[in-house]
Amino acid sequence: MAGSNSNGPSQRDGLLRQNVPSYQSLSNNQPLQDYEWNVEVDVKGQVDTNQDQEHEHENEHEPYFSWKKLMLYSGPGWLMAIAYLDPGNLESDLQSGAVAGYKLLWLLLWAHGAGLVIQILSARLGVVTGKHLAQLIRDSYSRPVGYLLWAFTQLAIIGSDIQEIVGTAIALKIIFGFTLPVGVLITAFDTFLFMWLQQYGVRKIEVFFMSLIGVMIACFWAEMISSHPSIPNILHGIFIPEIPEHAAVQAVGMVGAVIMPHNMFLHSALVMSRNLGEKPSERKLKEANFYFAVESGLALLTSYFINLAIVVVFAQVFYEPGNTLDSLPGLYDASEVLRNTLGEYARYLWAAGLLAAGQSSTMTGTLAGQYVVEGFFGAIFKKQWHRVALTRTISLVPSMMVAVLAVNRFDTLGEILNVLQSLCLPMAIIPILKLTSSSRIMTSTFKNSRWMHTICWTISWILFGLNIYLCIRFLKEYSYPPVLMGMGIMYSGFVGYLIYTPLDNDSLLPSNPETF
């Protein structure tokens, strides 16, 4: 970005920030009963961070860090962090603790750190371009490749939603005794609660989700403290890398459960809820990137401590060194184990935390699904509720089938779904790295620096290596069946194609990036 602020990135054709809050009429004191309930997925510009832009030249000596500004930018990162606390993560945590004790705590920390780096890139992509990841993939890749990327992303969303919806149903079963199919149907109404919350703007949604994170902190940390954990063992697990051979699947599943593909699409869209002004200067964009990075770090540090608490609890009450488990504990089994070891109250603390995790993650999953569908295919729905109905049905139908047909095998299925998330990761990470490294898209000022480029690709290759190890292990277990071998080769070929092939289409951008 060379030169004046008047030629900032927001002036590019097709990348204009639009201030179109869906709750506008409410802010004008229009009675709620007269308001047209039109749920809008576009949250651009709903929170103003731009009050002082007219006097920006007078504020050159303002403090580098401002708690007031951090509060203005805080919100998107906490909604993003919900994906690190969904029932799939909780199940991965408890199984890791039950199978490997404290030994995978270092990997949990690494996964959160890797996730933070990728999430910062996702946020930066939305801030600088004014578009979210799904829209940029549609603009920058050929149609066949775009369809394949959408298919992988949608598959990851379905897998995640199955765990979130069934996990919420399990919490309702623990508390109220409902059967899983009934709990799944009740969970379906979360969509309507979320639609209702959307009428009041993104700020109210953010406060609601922060409250649910607070519930999880209280419940899971109360259980960890009551389990009387070993502090030296915790520190050993955090700082000494080790993956027991019998816990390899749990290790890969933990990474897949923590770093979720669709969360990158969501985060790149949510940062646009902050109004940076119609023509944000380079300084304003840097400010937004800085505070979003700080907020993301705080949010993921919080999610790490919640996940750590669950691993520790089940390492204390379930893990026995030298013993191999015949079957993995699941979300419902966890409540019985906690009741038998820590008392009746622990069962309901677990259920309350699980319910908060399930409720929040199903709602953010709904929002992510909407961004993904309309980002890849455009505004294909005449009415907003059509989009919501379709994205929820895509997830609810498989979830109901699981609740009815696979109720006795859900714990094993949950492990497979976590691994599925890991296999879908390259389809989101590679486009993000390509897009954020392009000076044509990010400008020469905001594209990835050399050290960031190196760090991100190193993280990616580690993730890809875990996937290869898992695939080889899985194929070996089933004596290398030809069908699965063929699928593995096609998968590896597509990942290689994404890595080594440049972006297909920059037609919406000017030929000279320095004219931004």
Side-chain angles (χ1 to χ4, degrees):
M1 180 183 294
S4 68
N5 295 337
S6 61
N7 291 325
S10 63
Q11 287 189 314
R12 289 175 293 180
D13 185 24
L15 300 184
L16 287 173
R17 291 176 176 80
Q18 299 176 13
N19 190 5
V20 287
S22 61
Y23 65 101
Q24 187 68 45
S25 58
L26 288 180
S27 64
N28 294 332
N29 298 320
Q30 181 176 343
L32 183 61
Q33 60 268 24
D34 296 333
Y35 177 63
E36 182 182 355
W37 201 22
N38 181 31
V39 181
E40 178 56 66
V41 70
D42 192 348
V43 295
K44 288 184 180 179
Q46 289 194 8
V47 179
D48 186 15
T49 67
N50 203 44
Q51 301 94 329
D52 299 324
Q53 184 168 353
E54 293 181 2
H55 307 287
E56 194 170 327
H57 63 282
E58 300 175 3
N59 297 325
E60 294 295 334
H61 302 292
E62 68 180 24
Y64 184 73
F65 180 83
S66 166
W67 286 104
K68 180 179 179 181
K69 285 191 175 182
L70 179 61
M71 292 301 102
L72 288 174
Y73 285 103
S74 291
W78 294 97
L79 268 69
M80 169 272 296
I82 292 294
Y84 291 73
L85 297 167
D86 74 339
N89 279 284
L90 306 192
E91 184 165 55
S92 174
D93 294 336
L94 70 90
Q95 290 179 353
S96 297
V99 171
Y102 299 97
K103 294 179 181 178
L104 295 182
L105 286 178
W106 71 272
L107 185 61
L108 183 67
L109 179 61
W110 181 88
H112 277 76
L116 175 60
V117 174
I118 302 300
Q119 296 296 162
I120 288 175
L121 294 187
S122 303
R124 186 184 300 172
L125 191 66
V127 169
V128 175
T129 67
K131 283 190 172 185
H132 58 77
L133 179 58
Q135 293 171 323
L136 289 167
I137 288 177
R138 185 182 65 184
D139 293 342
S140 303
Y141 284 91
S142 65
R143 184 170 296 181
V145 173
Y147 286 158
L148 283 173
L149 291 173
W150 168 80
F152 275 103
T153 304
Q154 193 62 56
L155 187 63
I157 291 175
I158 292 172
S160 176
D161 273 353
I162 289 174
Q163 293 175 298
E164 293 162 358
I165 293 171
V166 177
T168 305
I170 291 173
L172 294 174
K173 179 180 180 180
I174 296 171
I175 299 173
F176 301 108
F178 296 143
T179 63
L180 287 187
V182 172
V184 168
L185 288 176
I186 293 174
T187 306
F189 288 95
D190 289 347
T191 300
F192 296 100
L193 173 61
F194 182 62
M195 290 171 64
W196 176 74
L197 283 173
Q198 281 183 289
Q199 307 309 299
Y200 297 94
V202 70
R203 206 55 161 158
K204 302 296 189 300
I205 295 175
E206 292 166 354
V207 172
F208 174 73
F209 286 123
M210 289 180 189
S211 301
L212 292 178
I213 291 176
V215 171
M216 287 183 260
I217 293 172
C219 293
F220 296 137
W221 268 72
E223 290 192 332
M224 184 181 71
I225 293 171
S226 64
S227 71
H228 305 291
S230 169
I231 302 300
N233 286 343
I234 292 175
L235 295 176
H236 184 274
I238 292 175
F239 294 109
I240 306 300
E242 180 182 0
I243 299 180
E245 184 178 354
H246 63 280
V249 174
Q250 282 72 36
V252 178
M254 175 180 283
V255 175
V258 169
I259 309 175
M260 306 181 76
H262 65 276
N263 203 37
M264 303 169 203
F265 291 85
L266 178 64
H267 199 195
S268 66
L270 290 176
V271 294
M272 290 186 288
S273 64
R274 269 47 186 178
N275 179 14
L276 307 182
E278 185 179 352
K279 301 176 182 179
S281 65
E282 179 181 308
R283 182 173 177 271
K284 189 67 177 178
L285 293 175
K286 287 182 178 180
E287 174 189 283
N289 287 329
F290 170 76
Y291 284 107
F292 281 134
V294 172
E295 184 221 9
S296 297
L298 293 174
L300 289 189
L301 182 63
T302 301
S303 74
Y304 170 72
F305 282 123
I306 293 174
N307 284 291
L308 178 144
I310 299 169
V311 175
V312 167
V313 167
F314 285 90
Q316 280 295 110
V317 304
F318 209 102
Y319 175 65
E320 295 182 12
N323 289 351
T324 301
L325 297 177
D326 296 329
S327 60
L328 294 172
L331 296 173
Y332 186 79
D333 302 328
S335 67
E336 299 302 315
V337 172
L338 292 173
R339 180 174 65 178
N340 295 334
T341 55
L342 302 180
E344 184 70 23
Y345 78 94
R347 180 172 187 259
Y348 292 104
L349 279 175
W350 170 257
L354 178 59
L355 183 62
Q359 291 273 41
S360 56
S361 57
T362 53
M363 293 180 189
T364 54
T366 299
L367 191 56
Q370 295 176 56
Y371 280 120
V372 166
V373 169
E374 290 208 344
F376 278 102
F377 299 104
I380 59 177
F381 300 101
K382 292 183 179 180
K383 295 183 180 296
Q384 302 293 350
W385 71 268
H386 291 170
R387 178 189 61 231
V388 176
L390 176 63
T391 55
R392 282 294 81 194
T393 300
I394 290 174
S395 300
L396 284 172
V397 171
S399 300
M400 180 59 75
M401 293 176 65
V402 168
V404 174
L405 302 177
V407 61
N408 295 324
R409 296 180 294 275
F410 178 70
D411 300 329
T412 302
L413 179 63
E415 178 187 10
I416 295 173
L417 291 175
N418 285 338
V419 173
L420 174 66
Q421 298 289 332
S422 185
L423 292 175
C424 292
L425 269 178
M427 313 313 167
I429 290 180
I430 295 172
I432 284 180
L433 297 184
K434 294 275 189 176
L435 291 165
T436 54
S437 297
S438 170
S439 60
R440 292 175 58 81
I441 291 175
M442 296 293 289
T443 79
S444 58
T445 300
F446 293 102
K447 73 172 186 177
N448 292 340
S449 62
R450 181 171 298 179
W451 68 268
M452 177 64 81
H453 185 82
T454 302
I455 289 174
C456 291
W457 277 106
T458 301
I459 291 172
S460 301
W461 282 113
I462 293 173
L463 293 173
F464 302 159
L466 289 172
N467 287 340
I468 292 171
Y469 172 80
L470 180 68
C471 288
I472 293 174
R473 181 187 178 95
F474 184 79
L475 292 172
K476 182 179 179 181
E477 184 177 347
Y478 288 91
S479 302
Y480 300 100
V483 174
L484 293 181
M485 287 286 290
M487 292 175 63
I489 292 173
M490 288 190 292
Y491 170 85
S492 301
F494 184 58
V495 171
Y497 174 83
L498 290 177
I499 291 174
Y500 293 107
T501 303
L503 299 177
D504 295 320
N505 180 17
D506 285 338
S507 61
L508 294 183
L509 301 172
S511 58
N512 181 7
E514 297 302 320
T515 62
F516 286 173

